[in-house]
Amino acid sequence: MKKYECIAGAYIYDPAEGDPENGVAPNTPFEEIPEDWECPVCGSPKDVFEECE
């Protein structure tokens, strides 16, 4: 699964880890995260994330 980085807060979302503290279970692809989810570092919306390697 692809990782995504917040261009504002430099947080990298890794699907293998998810974001359990904010309701996203491990192994959740980025595309399946709810649209109202925000970057845990800076609070930016999901649409500021870009795919990274």
Side-chain angles (χ1 to χ4, degrees):
M1 285 188 275
K2 299 174 185 173
K3 295 180 183 179
Y4 287 80
E5 181 175 10
C6 176
I7 59 172
Y11 170 80
I12 296 179
Y13 175 76
D14 181 350
E17 296 176 12
D19 182 18
E21 293 180 9
N22 293 296
V24 180
N27 299 311
T28 301
F30 187 78
E31 297 79 14
E32 294 180 15
I33 297 172
E35 290 303 315
D36 62 350
W37 178 81
E38 298 176 339
C39 174
V41 173
C42 70
S44 291
K46 185 178 169 185
D47 64 356
V48 302
F49 281 73
E50 294 182 348
E51 186 178 323
C52 64
E53 294 185 23

